[in-house]
C-alpha cells in the first residue's frame, strides 16, 4: 500500500510538473504570438512613416521643379525679347546703311 501511495504521489507530482510545463509552453507561445503581432505592426508603421516621408519629399521636389520650370520660362521669354530687339537693331542698321549708300550714290551722281 505504501508503494502504491508512493507511486500515486510520484504520478501526481509528474502530472503537476507536466501541467506547469504545458502552461509555460502556452505562455511562451502567447508571448511569441504577441511579439509577431508587434513586429508586424511596427513594420507596417515604419513603412507607412517612410512612405509619408517620401511623399512629402517628392512633393517638395515637385514644388521646386515647378519653380524651376517657371524660372526657365521667364528666362526664355526674356532671351526671346532680347533676340527680337537684336534682330530689329540689325534690320534698322541695315536699312540705315542702305539709305546712306543711296544718299552717297545720289550725291556722287
Amino acid at each position: 500500500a505504501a508503494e502504491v501511495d508512493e507511486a500515486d504521489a510520484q504520478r501526481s507530482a509528474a502530472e503537476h510538473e507536466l501541467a506547469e510545463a504545458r502552461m509555460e509552453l502556452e505562455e511562451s507561445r502567447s508571448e511569441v504570438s504577441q511579439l509577431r503581432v508587434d513586429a508586424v505592426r511596427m513594420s507596417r508603421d515604419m513603412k507607412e512613416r517612410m512612405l509619408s516621408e517620401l511623399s512629402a519629399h517628392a512633393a517638395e521636389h515637385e514644388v521646386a521643379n515647378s519653380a524651376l520650370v517657371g524660372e526657365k520660362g521667364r528666362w526664355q521669354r526674356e532671351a526671346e525679347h532680347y533676340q527680337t530687339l537684336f534682330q530689329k537693331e540689325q534690320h534698322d542698321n541695315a536699312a540705315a546703311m542702305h539709305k546712306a549708300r543711296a544718299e552717297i550714290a545720289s550725291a556722287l551722281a
Side-chain angles (χ1 to χ4, degrees):
E3 291 176 8
V4 172
D5 289 343
E6 178 67 25
D8 283 344
Q10 287 179 351
R11 185 175 47 86
S12 180
E15 287 174 352
H16 181 71
E17 286 181 27
L18 180 59
E20 284 183 1
R22 284 182 177 153
M23 284 177 36
E24 288 177 12
L25 177 61
E26 190 56 39
E27 287 176 9
S28 292
R29 286 180 179 160
S30 178
E31 288 175 8
V32 167
S33 177
Q34 186 59 47
L35 287 172
R36 284 183 181 144
V37 168
D38 291 347
V40 167
R41 183 175 28 80
M42 287 172 58
S43 175
R44 185 185 65 236
D45 291 349
M46 188 183 321
K47 286 177 186 174
E48 288 175 0
R49 187 173 57 249
M50 288 175 66
L51 182 60
S52 176
E53 289 173 5
L54 287 173
S55 293
H57 198 57
E60 290 171 5
H61 281 290
E62 188 139 346
V63 167
N65 284 344
S66 179
L68 287 174
V69 167
E71 192 71 10
K72 177 184 174 189
R74 187 177 69 78
W75 283 105
Q76 283 179 330
R77 287 188 299 278
E78 196 166 320
E80 290 167 1
H81 171 72
Y82 285 116
Q83 180 69 26
T84 301
L85 289 178
F86 176 73
Q87 289 171 347
K88 183 182 180 311
E89 186 78 19
Q90 279 185 319
H91 178 73
D92 291 350
N93 286 344
M97 192 180 305
H98 180 72
K99 182 179 178 186
R101 283 184 183 146
E103 289 174 358
I104 291 170
S106 174
L108 294 176

